[in-house]
Amino acid sequence: MRILLAEDDTDTAQFIETSLGELSHVVKSVGTGDAALRIARSESWDVIILDRMLPELDGLTLLKAARSCGVTTPVLMLTALGRIEDRVDGLDAGADDYLVKPFAPSELVARVQALGRRYTQSEIATKLLAGPLELDLIAREIRRDGRLVLLQPRELRLLEVLMRHAGEFVTRAMLLEDVWDFHFDPQTKLIETHMSRLRAKLNEGGLPDLIETVRGSGYRVRAV
């Protein structure tokens, strides 16, 4: 399974990565709430393991935000807070399971695998919609008003990231990391060049531009 781990304690994160990695699960670990929310929304995961106390954005707020924008991935919440009301808060926020620290690795693994079995293929979103745009995530095809638009793989990935955040601004840093896996700004016209090609193909025939650019904020594709 592909598992997103949001845990700011490096020792705990390493312990979980090792436990799940030994069973051939692929674990991506992040240490802040903001990063976890962005990645949860922009990529598909089988299970999310979420620490309740994260810097920048706490686990409960993160989870509510993710659920409100359509993220249905099963979530196992980790916390040192073991009171009944704490567990209820976590489940009310959208968690599917709750595990109190400290925990045994065998219990963590069992709970994660149980959650993964619930995530059936039918529950996986296969299309993204934004106004006249429809992106088939399986066929890797984009259509505007039903017309097929031929894009290069990088252009398609760029549009996918924008559509996963439809109606919101996506910053340059987010695009560099999610599309090119750059964790720094190369100080080039890389994004602008690809965005120009993408616009030209989407707007062929003089159609209105669907991608908005605001200096200092980033890029936004209209949701409707």
Side-chain angles (χ1 to χ4, degrees), residues 141-211:
E141 290 181 348
I142 179 70
R143 295 178 184 274
R144 176 169 182 168
D145 291 320
R147 178 182 65 84
L148 181 64
V149 181
L150 299 179
L151 299 179
Q152 294 296 317
R154 194 75 74 178
E155 296 162 353
L156 192 65
R157 175 60 182 158
L158 179 58
L159 183 58
E160 178 183 346
V161 173
L162 293 173
M163 290 181 68
R164 286 188 184 277
H165 295 270
E168 304 172 2
F169 282 105
V170 181
T171 66
R172 285 179 55 85
M174 292 167 65
L175 291 175
L176 286 169
E177 185 169 340
D178 291 346
V179 179
W180 285 274
D181 200 26
F182 287 173
H183 299 275
F184 61 96
D185 191 336
Q187 302 294 319
T188 67
K189 297 292 185 181
L190 182 68
I191 293 178
E192 289 77 4
T193 300
H194 281 78
M195 196 67 75
S196 177
R197 293 175 184 162
L198 176 60
R199 280 184 160 122
K201 293 177 180 178
L202 290 176
N203 305 337
E204 185 178 354
L207 293 172
D209 190 1
L210 301 175
I211 300 174

Side-chain angles (χ1 to χ4, degrees), residues 29-47:
S29 180
V30 295
T32 67
D34 283 346
L37 177 59
R38 176 171 52 78
I39 296 173
R41 295 169 62 181
S42 61
E43 299 181 34
S44 295
W45 303 94
D46 297 304
V47 173

Side-chain angles (χ1 to χ4, degrees), residues 37 39-48 62-76 93-97 115-116 118-126 164:
L37 177 59
I39 296 173
R41 295 169 62 181
S42 61
E43 299 181 34
S44 295
W45 303 94
D46 297 304
V47 173
I48 297 173
L62 185 164
L63 184 52
K64 291 176 182 176
R67 294 301 191 217
S68 68
C69 64
V71 175
T72 59
T73 308
V75 171
L76 171 62
D96 297 272
D97 199 0
L115 287 176
R118 296 184 196 172
Y119 195 40
T120 60
Q121 189 65 30
S122 61
E123 293 175 309
I124 301 173
T126 59
R164 286 188 184 277

Side-chain angles (χ1 to χ4, degrees), residues 1-26:
M1 291 191 292
R2 295 184 73 247
I3 299 167
L4 174 61
L5 169 62
E7 171 60 74
D8 62 321
D9 183 273
T10 54
D11 291 338
T12 302
Q14 184 60 52
F15 163 72
I16 294 173
E17 287 184 56
T18 301
S19 298
L20 295 170
E22 289 175 348
L23 297 173
S24 299
H25 297 306
V26 176

